[in-house]
Amino acid sequence: MMTRDNIKRVAAEALMLVILSVALLLLGTWLSSFKKNDRLQFSYDGRFMNVLPADTYTEINSSLVDNSNEVSHVYEALTADGNTLGYIIDLEVFDDTGRSLHFLTGITYDGASLTGIRHIADEANPIPITEEEISILAASTVGRQIPVALQQNDQNVISEAISEPQRLSGLQDGVYYAQALEKDRNGYIDYVEMEISDGIIVRVQWDAMNVDRTTRNRREASLTGDYSTSGEPWANQSYNICRALMQLQNPGLLAMKSDGTTEIVEGVTVNIRPFVELAEECIANSRAGFDKDAYMAGLNMVLIDLFTSDAETLGILDATGHVVYSFDEYPNLFARLDEAGNAISYMNIREYVEEAGGFEGNGEGSYFPNPDSHDQQTPGIPDGSEDGVSPNGDNIITENVDGLPQSEIRNRIEGLPDNEEASSYYITAINTSYSFLKNYLNWVA
């Protein structure tokens, strides 16, 4: 017979059993969840560790991901303390025919640098690229600042036709060159190289070599941080001003202010006077038929007159064939003097050669001046262009890379010489990741 005490004891035991069962169920659920998270993190480690090493990873849910055609997943990489190291973007880029490349990209928490990139290689219809080619491209981008552009832009090579340019008269086709005859205060010697085809300026390069052989060219030094300027890196500014010249076809329309700066070209804050003067010299050389070979032979003529030896023998040729020498120790070498011996003007290399009556080069350029060949109006700085006012009111529109302005580009790479298409889409993947993350960080701010 069940007594009251027995009933209480059975009820208590039943309650304890229920509580224990619930506790075991909750514990099992927690352990299962814990193991599931471990398994997920283990999976993430295998996928992401070579792209962006971290203690833990967590997927980000965002409408920006849902509405993106390229980005399918975004993950946050965290330290053990929960601090954000960066982000991993899972995306696919497509060409016009539907072919694609699938990448994982790792980007630092501030969106500034690429930490790693991995090709997933699961595309149904891939854009042709080998893992070796990806490794070559990665060597120029991983650990570097982003966004990225192909270096052909940095060399200022224009491939597309210029629509109805304002052509300068009298230009002869060929490659023309001019360099400063004295170094600047940092030891740099500016030079401009220009290619003219069908009377149109189709390629321009502005750079500077240093009289100190241990110092990199100004473009390279600016990209590594060894040469700093206000605003964008000097290499970007050089690109922008060269591009503007190819669009305007006349250095006189670049509208310099009295301090040599310009306000009409986006991203350019440096003194462009050396560029404008050397570009005008290249144009005058084109009108005279004084090409790059003739210019280099003319430099050798000057050196032989001074030292009875040429640039190669003197050891002042760099690896790219430029003559690295400043004539500042010979202030009257290029001077035209009046009867009292005062300098009234200064000659450039072509004018120096013309004063000597020309020369016959030995496979390096020959030149005999023809007064009628370059008796054309030189570009000059037109009236009204001082202080940044373009006389025609023209706006300068520079190209973009994957929708990003050239002024925003932080790294330029050579790309694959035999697979330019794949290089372009590799870069697009990086820049798409950068643009997405830029929008996301602004969105969550």
Side-chain angles (χ1 to χ4, degrees), residues 346-384:
Y346 290 88
M347 298 176 285
N348 56 39
I349 294 298
R350 174 178 54 80
E351 292 166 338
Y352 184 98
V353 172
E354 290 176 350
E355 286 278 313
F359 57 76
E360 183 75 53
N362 297 317
E364 295 181 340
S366 58
Y367 179 71
F368 294 96
N370 177 0
D372 297 329
S373 66
H374 56 93
D375 190 21
Q376 305 280 348
Q377 181 181 359
T378 55
I381 303 298
D383 293 338

Side-chain angles (χ1 to χ4, degrees), residues 136-173:
I136 293 171
L137 294 171
S140 300
T141 52
V142 173
R144 308 285 184 88
Q145 287 187 303
I146 56 175
V148 186
L150 285 174
Q151 200 174 58
Q152 67 178 41
N153 292 333
D154 182 50
Q155 295 171 343
N156 308 304
V157 180
I158 182 170
S159 58
E160 68 277 10
I162 302 172
S163 59
E164 300 179 3
Q166 183 64 43
R167 300 190 187 205
L168 291 172
S169 61
L171 298 187
Q172 301 184 47
D173 291 354

Side-chain angles (χ1 to χ4, degrees), residues 68-375:
S68 174
N69 294 324
E70 295 87 10
V71 176
S72 57
H73 301 279
V74 178
Y75 304 87
E76 189 173 7
L78 304 165
T79 66
D81 297 331
N83 296 318
T84 302
L85 287 169
Y87 300 88
I88 294 171
I89 316 293
D90 187 336
L91 80 161
E92 200 163 1
V93 291
F94 300 85
D95 68 8
D96 294 337
T97 66
R99 296 183 305 171
S100 65
L101 286 174
H102 185 186
F103 289 104
L104 291 176
T105 59
I107 300 177
T108 53
Y109 71 94
D110 55 0
S113 300
L114 184 74
T115 62
I117 187 166
R118 177 184 172 192
H119 180 214
I120 303 302
D122 61 353
E123 307 91 350
N125 187 15
I127 297 170
I129 190 170
T130 67
E131 293 305 312
E132 182 180 2
E133 288 174 327
I134 290 174
S135 297
I136 293 171
L137 294 171
S140 300
T141 52
V142 173
R144 308 285 184 88
Q145 287 187 303
I146 56 175
V148 186
L150 285 174
Q151 200 174 58
Q152 67 178 41
N153 292 333
D154 182 50
Q155 295 171 343
N156 308 304
V157 180
I158 182 170
S159 58
E160 68 277 10
I162 302 172
S163 59
E164 300 179 3
Q166 183 64 43
R167 300 190 187 205
L168 291 172
S169 61
L171 298 187
Q172 301 184 47
D173 291 354
V175 176
Y176 299 93
Y177 176 86
Q179 71 180 56
L181 299 178
E182 295 184 5
K183 64 182 183 295
D184 67 12
R185 63 182 182 180
N186 295 311
Y188 284 104
I189 299 172
D190 286 85
Y191 67 86
V192 169
E193 183 169 313
M194 177 184 297
E195 183 175 353
I196 295 172
S197 177
D198 195 26
I200 298 173
I201 302 170
V202 296
R203 181 175 64 86
V204 185
Q205 182 183 9
W206 176 28
D207 203 348
M209 58 269 192
N210 201 289
V211 292
D212 179 358
R213 293 300 186 89
T214 64
T215 301
R216 299 182 181 185
N217 280 12
R218 190 188 285 150
R219 181 191 66 81
E220 295 180 16
S222 73
L223 293 174
T224 59
D226 294 329
Y227 182 89
S228 60
T229 58
S230 62
E232 301 298 327
W234 188 89
N236 292 4
Q237 300 197 39
S238 169
Y239 170 83
N240 288 337
I241 198 68
C242 289
R243 191 70 184 185
L245 174 56
M246 286 188 289
Q247 291 172 334
L248 292 176
Q249 293 290 299
N250 186 341
L253 297 179
L254 289 173
M256 283 191 298
K257 298 168 68 174
S258 55
D259 61 357
T261 60
T262 180
E263 292 181 351
I264 67 170
V265 184
E266 182 184 359
V268 175
T269 60
V270 298
N271 182 351
I272 66 169
R273 192 175 300 280
F275 169 75
V276 171
E277 292 176 349
L278 291 173
E280 289 181 336
E281 186 176 343
C282 286
I283 287 170
N285 289 344
S286 171
R287 286 173 167 151
F290 192 76
D291 64 13
K292 183 179 179 180
D293 288 340
Y295 190 99
M296 293 304 180
L299 270 174
N300 268 330
M301 172 187 280
V302 176
L303 294 170
I304 289 170
D305 287 347
L306 271 179
F307 308 115
T308 66
S309 189
D310 62 15
E312 184 175 6
T313 305
L314 291 168
I316 55 175
L317 279 181
D318 68 9
T320 60
H322 292 103
V323 177
V324 187
Y325 187 79
S326 174
F327 294 95
D328 54 285
E329 294 182 5
Y330 303 91
N332 289 325
L333 178 62
F334 299 99
R336 290 192 177 99
L337 306 177
D338 61 15
E339 293 181 356
N342 299 314
I344 55 175
S345 64
Y346 290 88
M347 298 176 285
N348 56 39
I349 294 298
R350 174 178 54 80
E351 292 166 338
Y352 184 98
V353 172
E354 290 176 350
E355 286 278 313
F359 57 76
E360 183 75 53
N362 297 317
E364 295 181 340
S366 58
Y367 179 71
F368 294 96
N370 177 0
D372 297 329
S373 66
H374 56 93
D375 190 21

Side-chain angles (χ1 to χ4, degrees), residues 147 240 266 398-401 403-409 438:
N240 288 337
E266 182 184 359
T398 56
E399 276 195 337
N400 64 72
V401 177
L404 298 166
Q406 287 290 342
S407 59
E408 201 165 340
I409 300 301
K438 180 180 177 182

Side-chain angles (χ1 to χ4, degrees), residues 5 23 27 32 85 107 145 170 254 420 427:
D5 290 340
L27 178 62
S32 176
L85 287 169
I107 300 177
Q145 287 187 303
L254 289 173
E420 185 175 347
I427 286 173

